[in-house]
Amino acid sequence: MSIFRKKSISDLVAASKTGTTLNKELGTWDLTMLGIGAIIGTGIFVLTGTGALTAGPALIISFIIAGLACLFAALSYAEFASTVPVSGSVYTYTYATMGEFLAWIIGWDLILEYLLAVSAVSVGWSGYFQSLLKGFGITIPTAFTAAPGAVEGATTYFNLPAFLIVMLITVLLSLGVKQSKRVNNIMVVIKVAVVILFIVVGVGYVKPDNWTPFTPFGFDGIFAAAALVFFAFIGFDAIASAAEETKNPNRDLPKGIIYSLLICTILYVIVTGIMTGVVPFTDFKGNEDHPISLVLQVAGQNWVAGIIDIGAILGMTTVMLVMLYGQTRVSYAMSRDGLLPKFFRTVHKKYRTPYGSTWFFGLVAGLMGALIPLDELAKLVNIGTLSAFILVSVAVLVLRKTQPDLPRAFRCPAVPWIPLLAILFCGFLMLQLDGDTWIRFIIWLVIGAAIYFIYSKKNSHLNKEINK
């Protein structure tokens, strides 16, 4: 069937080297920083409080479960990224293994993941930024502090800080990957230093009695928290979308993906252990939005709490930077295949960036964060990402079967077991999400399918080649 037509890997690689190409500026260090920049943010500074109330001290196990699900998927990503060094991440891999329609659906899925992630994090960034300003006696008019209806008992119209930070990031991304990576690397080094500072200061105040009972809500609590804190790991997959801007993608992409994920998992586990060791998990009730600061206040280290706020602001900034970067590269690849209009693959002659796509999605994400309360919609980011992880793991199995002799610079170990474990873990976490999230996700996919059959199917470059 024509909707399952595939692009050969050689054609995908050849297409990436023709026409207006992107600058190759990234090495292993940059990719690792890109991954850490995407991962360490809202998860460690915000979600740990809600996670502690859901699982208690056993939140450590929840992070390990979520981290394992990501690690299994990361090994699959690493194999594909080294074999098919082309922009588009799992969208491109699916096009080569399972056909155009599924590739479109997963590309549409990634748009959901990245857009909502940028918008949701911009709202969290705005809250921390306003808190920091208040420390200097500066307040923003209430009407411009949140989306309409987001604050009970207050009249709000527009979240101005959330909109402005997304616009600032859009400007930075439009100027080129070299400038973006420099800013990202600096902010990542600072925020990791802030996390390490928390660990060094907090470890001396740990009271082991606070870890008892360790599993107050049993396995149900652990699994529910794992599905929640999975959001904390989202972002490492965006590294794969940087394939065409990597100097040596066969070597650097797998390293960047795996290094960043391992570093962040270790930091998450240590921070969670200290948090629940200093503060009884029940005390996070009512303080879910600033759990790290609460721990330091309980420890009597208020001077560090201010530094943590700065680290949180930088952490969320890099998350938005990498997510919006990944979004523009996926849409660039989809447009190059004809599934999206030409506008999305327009590359700036001077800066060599897909500036049309960058500004379009930057404006959409900025307006969503400024105008829409995203508490429930943030769950869609999780389900979208988990489905992408499942599909890339399936794709590895398919490609191993259909093209066993294809040169692979990095090979996922223990195939088929590692991809199958990724499918099992991610599928299990998807089942922990509520019914409303599933309904919204299905509606989004139905809208995507309609767009494919109305526009993308007939405008596909592969379709035009077949029908010549």
Side-chain angles (χ1 to χ4, degrees), residues 398-408 411:
V398 171
L399 197 63
R400 284 286 188 98
K401 184 73 173 177
T402 57
Q403 299 187 52
D405 298 325
L406 186 71
R408 292 167 171 84
R411 296 178 69 88

Side-chain angles (χ1 to χ4, degrees), residues 44-305:
I44 201 165
F45 293 111
V46 179
L47 284 181
T48 43
T50 306
L53 290 171
T54 307
L59 180 62
I60 292 173
I61 300 176
S62 302
F63 269 113
I64 293 173
I65 291 171
L68 281 174
C70 289
L71 178 60
F72 296 144
L75 292 170
S76 296
Y77 264 100
E79 175 166 326
F80 258 115
S82 66
T83 307
V84 192
V86 177
S87 285
S89 185
V90 66
Y91 155 77
T92 300
Y93 311 152
T94 305
Y95 211 152
T97 55
M98 288 177 278
E100 184 176 277
F101 178 66
L102 285 177
W104 163 264
I105 288 295
I106 203 63
W108 186 248
D109 176 29
L110 290 174
I111 289 173
L112 174 75
E113 174 194 342
Y114 291 140
L115 262 186
L116 288 183
V118 174
S119 301
V121 174
S122 74
V123 175
W125 185 96
S126 175
Y128 267 95
F129 182 69
Q130 290 178 55
S131 175
L132 185 66
L133 289 181
K134 286 178 182 176
F136 293 97
I138 302 171
T139 57
I140 298 172
T142 303
F144 300 105
T145 58
V151 181
E152 190 174 342
T155 302
T156 54
Y157 299 107
F158 193 83
N159 195 328
L160 185 61
F163 179 76
L164 291 178
I165 186 59
V166 176
M167 289 302 96
L168 181 63
I169 289 169
T170 302
V171 170
L172 181 60
L173 286 173
S174 67
L175 293 177
V177 70
K178 179 183 287 188
Q179 289 75 13
S180 300
K181 79 170 185 181
R182 286 173 179 168
V183 173
N184 180 73
N185 290 355
I186 292 170
M187 288 193 290
V188 167
V189 168
I190 294 173
K191 74 175 179 181
V192 170
V194 168
V195 173
I196 292 173
L197 175 64
F198 169 80
I199 293 170
V200 171
V201 172
V203 70
Y205 296 89
V206 169
K207 298 177 181 177
D209 288 347
N210 288 334
W211 290 328
T212 305
F214 187 70
T215 56
F217 306 108
F219 285 109
D220 287 345
I222 291 172
F223 294 143
L228 173 72
V229 301
F230 181 82
F231 186 90
F233 289 95
I234 290 172
F236 79 85
D237 54 315
I239 299 174
S241 66
E244 285 183 42
E245 290 156 288
T246 301
K247 296 172 185 176
N248 187 344
N250 293 344
R251 179 196 68 194
D252 296 338
L253 281 169
K255 289 182 178 179
I257 290 171
I258 295 169
Y259 289 171
S260 60
L261 185 59
L262 289 176
I263 290 169
C264 292
T265 301
I266 292 169
L267 289 176
Y268 279 165
V269 168
I270 295 173
V271 167
T272 301
I274 291 174
M275 269 182 52
T276 54
V278 175
V279 178
F281 74 91
T282 52
D283 290 359
F284 288 108
K285 184 72 173 176
N287 298 289
E288 297 96 327
D289 58 344
H290 57 280
I292 301 295
S293 297
L294 174 66
V295 171
L296 293 169
Q297 290 163 11
V298 170
Q301 300 292 333
N302 291 326
W303 68 275
V304 185

